[in-house]
Amino acid sequence: MLYVVIIFLCLALLMYVILGGADFGAGILEIFTPTRMRAQLQNTTYKTIGPIWEANHMWLIIAIVILFVGFPPIYTTLSVHLHIPLALMLIGIIGRGTAFVFRHYDAYQDDMQKVYDFIFTYSSFITPFFLGLIFGAAVGGQIDPEAMGFYEAYIHPWFNLFSVSVGVFTVAICGFLASVFLVGEAKKAEVKMFVVRKAKLFIVFTVLAGGLVFAASIIDKVPLVGLLLTEWITVGTLVLATLAIVFLWLKLQEGSKTLVRLLSGFVVSAILLAFGYHYFPDLIILKSGENLSFFNSAAMGKPIDTLAWALLIGSLFILPSLFYLLYSFQKPKSVE
Amino acid sequence: MDDLFAARSQMALSLGFHIIFACIGMVMPFFMATSHYKYLKTNNPLYLDLTKAWSKGVAIFFVTGAVSGTMLSFELGLLWPEFMLHAGPIFGMPFSLEGTAFFIEAIALGFFLYGWGKFKPWFHWFTGVVVGVSGLASGILVVAANGWMNSPSGFDFVDGKYLNIDPVAALFNDAWFTQALHMTLAAFTATGFAVAGIHAYLMLKGKYVDFHRKAFTIAIVFGAVAALLQPISGDISAKDIAVRQPAKLAAMEAHFETSKTAPLIIGGIPDVEAKEVNYAIKIPGALSFLAHGDFEAEVIGLDQFPEEHHPPVAVVHYAFQIMVGLGMILVGLSLLYFISLWKKKNWQIQRWFLWLFVLATPLGFIALEAGWTVTEVGRQPWIIYEIMLTKDAVTPIPGIRYSFFIFTAIYISLAGIVSFLLYRQIKAVPATLAQNSKTNADS
């Protein structure tokens, strides 16, 4: 049953990065959008992301609950040593969730909209940045439960080049996902041109940020590059992801909506899978070199078993209705 | 401000904030679905307008509730890691089920809010009902998790170790039912009276009276029925904690010394040093009766517990008085409403009648917060009753007060923005209505 729980955790994180990521990316795109295009972009964003965005954020809650029920040492170690970035990410989550709805449900369209826009766009940037940074810090090998000083125990584990570069990379991925997603939605030629240009920009940015992660891992002595090269599955997956990016670049303009979306989803999944495979089963690498893994941190026995059953039964309800939701709002409007 | 106090304050603030939005978010969908049902049955466009107006409120509160709930799932670890390390696997069951319920609620809300004109009317209505039912289920599950902290079960505590964990037994702990029942009724009462109060006020302003009367009626019927049932649930709770958590009951009643024929102490100022209550009304034997159904029964006082295990008596006592007092006022108003419904129809258009309900707008929520204070502060100094002390659970990271200040600022601004939005929604209702009736006339 442990594997059922692990699969659900990975699935929840993957879904959060892809669906939630597209959602964050839409906010990030707005930062780089000139004022005259903004209203149209916001409108497109709202139409495509609006109906599903509440559901997107549930993936994060599912992941958190799986962590604290199934793997409590991992949850508490992250909570204690990465308290500060987690709190900052939370502020981002609050800001964007509320601003997104407020700007739609405010009964008047006036200067308050600028306030909502400001909060929405910047928190769309902050949240994935710290999410990525937390991922980076978890595997960066700088968390030290024995540390005595405030800086060593609570700042240094995440305030380092490697963690920051993973944060930047996550932001790039979100922008990439959102711009590719919106390419298929843009009706007017002007908007489409604009989004395609942004999508290409974010592809370049993602590749550069990916390079930054590897460079940072060398500088911070995180054993990433060397180990990656010895695992043919990891290398193979990354090569496939790179090929898919090239193909996506070529097909961005003319390719069908479904094709480019699937490609972008594939690229991100492949990158995550490659890293996931590389680190599996470890979730946290400590400074001492010891690891907190799925195996040594699991609350084995009944806690894991009931959690697995709860997830299996829950998904019987969730997945069909979620797919129906996505499907219903993809097809052209029937009435109205 | 020491770190433990800062952490407790931040948690209290987060929960106190979340509880309001979560309650409205789980109750309003029922109002919305009722109005929607009436529209589908009667085809009266006022009900359609009302459904749409309320659905905007539901969306705003759902998001604020979801966001503050997400924060809580992180804050449990950020503030109380030692607690979560041991409690997570034991009381995680309600949280994992709640995740499902909440997910379904979010999906159903997506269908409902964006589904106007896209689905068959009754399917669309059904998605609104699903929002309410799954929201209610989430609420009950989360309260069951809190019940476990009051009544830990589903494990053996041997030499500081948590063995033989059984998450299902932990879910069905002794406190889950009484707490969930009391909380659910409180949510319906508080939201019902708050929504009714706002619409009563708008009726007094004299515009769109028909519309607001329909809204008022739906909300007050839910609120009044719940308010009338609440004393029964309160009695079940009191009898339960008299046995299970006597220290909490003793603090609620400022009952310092174990005694037979214990008096019910109403109001008063507890003097913890002298172990007495000044200026209170005392009804002999009434506490014994309420706690054990017998005027002569012995009620355990705080003297049975070492002083370091006493909850803060004054806070718990005052909070309990506020909760019961306001609850009684709402019971009175509920009776008044039903009298007006069956005997005195003409009361319902009188200004004094409407003003009473306007004045009662915040009372349910004040009572709800007070009740929450009773259960949480009354459990202190324990985080897991008689297993783990709150001070042993707090995070080792120093400087929690800064986090408390930042989150206080965020919550205050959020509360400000939400109130501002609601004010503008309500102010805009006439304009939307005029527009809608125009569209209805056109089509």
Side-chain angles (χ1 to χ4, degrees), chain B residues 104-161:
Chain B
I104 292 171
E105 187 182 357
I107 293 171
L109 193 65
F111 274 115
F112 188 81
L113 291 178
Y114 296 84
W116 289 103
K118 279 196 164 212
F119 304 109
K120 290 206 179 86
W122 284 105
F123 175 76
H124 189 217
W125 174 79
F126 174 72
T127 61
V129 175
V130 173
V131 174
V133 172
S134 48
L136 194 61
S138 304
I140 290 173
L141 287 163
V142 168
V143 172
N146 177 263
W148 180 83
M149 295 163 72
N150 284 313
S151 176
S153 56
F155 64 101
D156 296 322
F157 191 60
V158 185
D159 300 331
K161 290 206 167 68

Side-chain angles (χ1 to χ4, degrees), chain A residues 46 58 61 68-69 72 75-76 79 83 90 94 97 101-102 105-108 110 150 154 302 306 314 324-325 329 335, chain B residues 56 63 67 70-71 73-74 77-78 81 84-85 88-89 92 100 102 111 114 117 165 167 398 417 421 424-425 427-428:
Chain A
Y46 188 73
M58 297 299 128
I61 299 188
F68 77 58
V69 178
Y75 174 78
T76 49
S79 299
H83 186 112
L90 271 185
I94 302 172
V101 168
F102 291 172
Y105 281 104
D106 197 335
Y108 296 85
D110 55 13
F150 184 79
Y154 304 113
K302 280 191 178 174
T306 43
Y324 187 57
L325 180 73
F329 290 99
V335 211
Chain B
K56 289 180 187 165
V63 163
V67 164
T70 311
M71 289 197 56
S73 68
F74 281 92
L78 291 177
M84 290 306 286
L85 184 63
T100 304
F102 199 37
F111 274 115
Y114 296 84
I165 294 172
I417 296 182
L421 274 182
R424 302 230 284 195
Q425 278 291 348
K427 207 170 82 169

Side-chain angles (χ1 to χ4, degrees), chain A residues 292-321:
Chain A
L292 293 180
S293 76
F294 281 123
F295 301 121
N296 67 20
S297 301
M300 287 310 285
K302 280 191 178 174
I304 284 284
D305 293 348
T306 43
L307 177 62
W309 280 112
L311 291 167
L312 286 170
I313 295 168
S315 57
L316 283 183
F317 289 98
I318 293 172
L319 294 178
S321 41

Side-chain angles (χ1 to χ4, degrees), chain A residues 29-39 194 197-198:
Chain A
L29 270 184
E30 270 187 48
I31 304 181
F32 302 103
T33 307
T35 333
R36 71 190 160 82
M37 302 281 288
R38 211 170 252 198
F194 173 79
R197 236 182 11 251
K198 286 289 172 245

Side-chain angles (χ1 to χ4, degrees), chain B residues 203-204 209 213 216 340 344-355:
Chain B
M203 264 194 267
L204 282 167
V209 174
R213 180 171 307 287
F216 175 83
S340 82
K344 304 272 184 189
K345 276 273 184 221
N346 64 325
W347 283 3
Q348 291 194 13
I349 47 169
Q350 310 252 339
R351 294 186 74 81
W352 64 267
F353 184 85
L354 292 174
W355 268 114

